[in-house]
Amino acid sequence: MMEFKEFGNIRNPKILLIHGMATTWDTCYKATINELKEDFYVIVPVLDGHNPEEQSEFCSIHEAASKIEQYVLERHNGKLHAASGFSMGGTILIQILANQILHIHRVVLDAAYCAPLGIFSKLCTKFLSTQIAKVKENKPFHFALRKVMEIGRFDEDALRKAFYSSISYNTILNCFSQLFEYRIPKNLCSIKADVTYWYGSNETYAAKSARNLKKALPNLEIRSFERYGHGELITKYPKQCVAELKRIIL
């Protein structure tokens, strides 16, 4: 059963935050939560396969979306003022939007993956899953992993600190497989939420995802942060991240 963390005054506007792959909810969002909880009621899912307090495995984007939807429906009447997802969390949020079960007014997608690799997806999934698993063993990064992660100048120390070391190989495999094969749902074009997409200027994969999403959502607002790589805004500059987030959702 997916666990959820909640912070702040429940009478405040509600915001959902979905963390990314191979990290934990607090590593990803602790600083953000501290900045937001005075003005918002913050709801944070602990994704399956990423919870240090239980043994579980991440299976699919659709399953994660369904569990989050069920929780918000049962506990919060299916209504949110805002939602934001980072990396794989953003992809899960795209699926939640497409399902049109929850009512969400404003959405921020931070480097959400929605650029399927086609015939290369299985090869890339196998290779990168093996390489990511080696992070647990503190082995050197393969040059291809450096390229794919696109973390600016590739701050290895920061990445290792953010990495959830207890993640299973099957969870890593399932995450990559789901991300590299994920296609934007056709009915996404009918959603009513205001959506903004963020990415760092050093991220080529996220830039492609933004272009794909723009085709489905012509009114999508796209913001590129100069010289940033994958996750740098949220992990290294949380005050700037929150200021940008508040500017959109307030």
Side-chain angles (χ1 to χ4, degrees):
M1 183 175 181
M2 186 181 289
E3 184 180 355
F4 289 78
K5 307 289 185 179
E6 301 189 0
F7 307 87
N9 188 328
I10 198 167
R11 291 189 293 271
N12 286 336
K14 296 172 183 177
I15 181 170
L16 174 73
L17 303 177
I18 310 177
H19 68 82
M21 168 192 171
T23 188
T24 60
W25 70 271
D26 54 339
T27 299
C28 188
Y29 281 126
K30 184 176 182 179
T32 305
I33 292 167
N34 289 336
E35 293 286 335
L36 287 175
K37 66 183 181 181
E38 296 302 318
D39 300 306
F40 297 91
Y41 189 69
V42 186
I43 305 165
V44 188
V46 184
L47 296 179
D48 292 337
H50 297 75
N51 190 344
E53 298 178 6
E54 67 175 24
Q55 288 187 336
S56 61
E57 288 189 353
F58 183 89
C59 294
S60 75
I61 286 169
H62 287 77
E63 181 182 86
S66 178
K67 288 183 176 182
I68 293 169
E69 288 164 351
Q70 182 179 356
Y71 181 85
V72 176
L73 279 171
E74 292 177 354
R75 298 291 294 271
H76 302 287
N77 298 316
K79 297 179 180 179
L80 299 167
H81 174 71
S84 182
F86 166 62
S87 193
M88 185 178 75
T91 310
I92 294 169
L93 185 50
I94 290 173
Q95 189 58 48
I96 289 173
L97 289 174
N99 291 344
Q100 300 186 47
I101 293 173
L102 304 182
H103 297 280
I104 309 174
H105 295 295
R106 294 183 175 88
V107 172
V108 176
L109 303 170
D110 186 349
Y113 283 44
C114 48
L117 298 182
I119 61 173
F120 299 105
S121 63
K122 286 183 171 55
L123 178 63
C124 290
T125 293
K126 183 69 175 179
F127 173 75
L128 290 175
S129 296
T130 301
Q131 294 303 317
I132 282 286
K134 289 182 178 179
V135 176
K136 298 169 62 172
E137 304 168 17
N138 205 32
K139 292 183 178 179
F141 288 93
H142 191 280
F143 77 92
L145 184 59
R146 293 169 178 265
K147 176 62 178 175
V148 171
M149 294 304 294
E150 298 178 323
I151 307 181
R153 295 176 180 171
F154 202 82
D155 188 338
E156 294 189 13
D157 184 58
L159 178 60
R160 291 184 189 280
K161 287 180 180 178
F163 185 75
Y164 173 44
S165 60
S166 296
I167 192 170
S168 71
Y169 179 75
N170 280 342
T171 286
I172 295 171
L173 196 70
N174 290 341
C175 287
F176 273 130
S177 175
Q178 287 285 297
L179 291 172
F180 291 155
E181 296 181 6
Y182 185 78
R183 296 184 180 278
I184 298 171
K186 292 181 180 179
N187 67 329
L188 190 69
C189 62
S190 63
I191 67 170
K192 297 179 180 179
D194 294 326
V195 185
T196 300
Y197 189 103
W198 287 349
Y199 69 96
S201 63
N202 292 326
E203 296 186 86
T204 55
Y205 195 83
K208 183 176 181 181
S209 294
R211 292 193 295 270
N212 287 349
L213 203 58
K214 183 75 172 177
K215 295 175 183 177
L217 297 173
N219 293 327
L220 177 73
E221 293 290 332
I222 299 176
R223 173 79 186 277
S224 174
F225 291 87
E226 194 64 28
R227 296 187 300 277
Y228 285 7
H230 193 64
E232 285 191 297
L233 177 64
I234 195 171
T235 57
K236 289 187 176 182
Y237 310 103
K239 288 187 180 297
Q240 179 189 359
C241 178
V242 170
E244 295 286 352
L245 193 59
K246 284 185 175 181
R247 183 180 60 82
I248 293 171
I249 64 178
L250 281 176

